[in-house]
């Protein structure tokens, strides 16, 4: 999801110095996330790994709410990798035209399905490097799929996770991948649940603009309310 830019709150991580958390604070943050979001799950709707991968690919720079409006008709029309791989590209575009960057996403969906059929026997590979070898699938997308499908001990850094981790001083890295490394080292385990927790926390409480600080269970540990973008 893209963040709004305001005059007051437009600095990047390169311009803002945020005090880093102590080990004790990391442990407290982790414990509070697990307490408040122990059953956290993605808000994307899906019924199998194929649908999950499509939904995650569509969610890049698009809201989960919008993706959930798009996918029912798409899944009904193309229920398998074989069906999607043989689909007319313009028909795919028509199905997802209300999604951001729908032209590129349509091409990637068709190419992904073709690769799944030709290289993986029509089954979505549930190993990170194999997933990353598919068109349109980077590390963030692969991690999200594995987190949701297998509860793999990974964390994926989207806009929400990037912002939350920097506001809390868990990372000062300038890229999502480097931030992922920082969070993995800090948390070590329970990464799947912590990923989902940070996404929901960033979406509904630690918002980019007008964060809900009075409702925040981590306000006493917050280092900055600056908007961070990735």
């Amino acid at each position: 999801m893209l963040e709004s830019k305001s005059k007051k709150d437009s600095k990047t991580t390169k311009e803002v110095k945020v005090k880093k958390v102590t080990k004790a604070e990391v442990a407290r943050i982790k414990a509070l996330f697990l307490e408040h979001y122990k059953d956290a799950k993605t808000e994307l709707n899906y019924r199998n790994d194929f649908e999950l991968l499509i939904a995650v690919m569509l969610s890049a720079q698009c809201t989960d709410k919008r993706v959930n409006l798009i996918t029912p008709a798409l899944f009904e029309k193309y229920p398998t990798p074989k069906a999607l791989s043989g689909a007319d590209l313009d028909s795919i575009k028509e199905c997802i035209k209300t999604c951001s960057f729908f032209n590129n996403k349509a091409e990637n969906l068709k190419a992904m399905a073709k690769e799944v059929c030709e290289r993986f026997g029509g089954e979505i590979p549930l190993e990170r490097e194999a997933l990353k070898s598919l068109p349109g699938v980077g590390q963030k997308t692969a991690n999200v799929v594995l987190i949701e499908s297998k509860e793999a001990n990974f964390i994926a850094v989207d806009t929400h996770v990037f912002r939350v981790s920097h506001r809390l001083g868990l990372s000062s890295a300038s890229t999502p991948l480097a931030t992922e490394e920082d969070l993995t080292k800090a948390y070590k385990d329970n990464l799947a649940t912590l990923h989902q927790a940070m996404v929901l926390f960033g979406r509904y409480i630690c918002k980019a603009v007008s964060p809900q600080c009075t409702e925040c269970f981590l306000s006493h540990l917050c280092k900055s309310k600056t908007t961070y973008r990735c």
Side-chain angles (χ1 to χ4, degrees), residues 41-52:
K41 294 290 183 183
T42 182
E43 293 186 315
L44 292 170
N45 296 330
Y46 69 95
R47 294 169 297 186
N48 52 56
D49 291 329
F50 174 59
E51 292 184 356
L52 171 61

Side-chain angles (χ1 to χ4, degrees), residues 49-57 112 124 134 137 141 145:
D49 291 329
F50 174 59
E51 292 184 356
L52 171 61
L53 177 55
I54 289 174
V56 176
M57 290 174 69
M112 174 275 291
I124 302 301
L134 297 172
V137 180
T141 296
V145 170

Side-chain angles (χ1 to χ4, degrees), residues 11-178:
K11 292 182 180 180
T12 66
T13 51
K14 291 182 179 179
E15 299 170 319
V16 180
K17 297 288 186 180
V18 177
K19 186 177 179 181
K20 198 168 183 179
V21 290
T22 64
K23 288 185 178 180
E25 287 174 326
V26 170
R28 187 61 181 148
I29 290 169
K30 179 179 179 180
L32 286 169
F33 270 135
L34 294 176
E35 176 186 339
H36 285 264
Y37 294 98
K38 62 181 179 180
D39 299 316
K41 294 290 183 183
T42 182
E43 293 186 315
L44 292 170
N45 296 330
Y46 69 95
R47 294 169 297 186
N48 52 56
D49 291 329
F50 174 59
E51 292 184 356
L52 171 61
L53 177 55
I54 289 174
V56 176
M57 290 174 69
L58 290 175
S59 71
Q61 295 183 293
C62 186
T63 65
D64 287 3
K65 184 177 180 180
R66 169 57 54 187
V67 172
N68 288 337
L69 292 173
I70 293 169
T71 51
L74 181 67
F75 294 160
E76 182 178 358
K77 192 168 186 178
Y78 308 114
T80 64
K82 183 177 180 180
L84 185 58
S85 68
D88 178 73
L89 185 59
D90 287 337
S91 295
I92 301 174
K93 290 180 181 180
E94 181 65 25
C95 285
I96 67 170
K97 64 183 180 181
T98 60
C99 187
S100 57
F101 306 104
F102 72 92
N103 284 313
N104 286 339
K105 288 179 179 178
E107 292 176 1
N108 283 332
L109 288 177
K110 182 177 172 67
M112 174 275 291
K114 184 173 184 290
E115 289 283 300
V116 167
C117 290
E118 293 180 354
R119 295 173 49 217
F120 299 102
E123 298 292 330
I124 302 301
L126 295 179
E127 192 278 324
R128 185 158 66 177
E129 293 308 311
L131 277 169
K132 287 169 61 178
S133 73
L134 297 172
V137 180
Q139 183 148 312
K140 183 184 75 173
T141 296
N143 283 3
V144 172
V145 170
L146 294 171
I147 286 166
E148 183 65 21
S149 179
K150 299 176 62 179
E151 295 187 355
N153 195 46
F154 293 137
I155 197 158
V157 178
D158 66 356
T159 300
H160 301 300
V161 176
F162 189 89
R163 179 175 66 254
V164 170
S165 62
H166 284 71
R167 281 180 173 173
L168 291 173
L170 293 165
S171 176
S172 59
S174 60
T175 67
L177 283 178

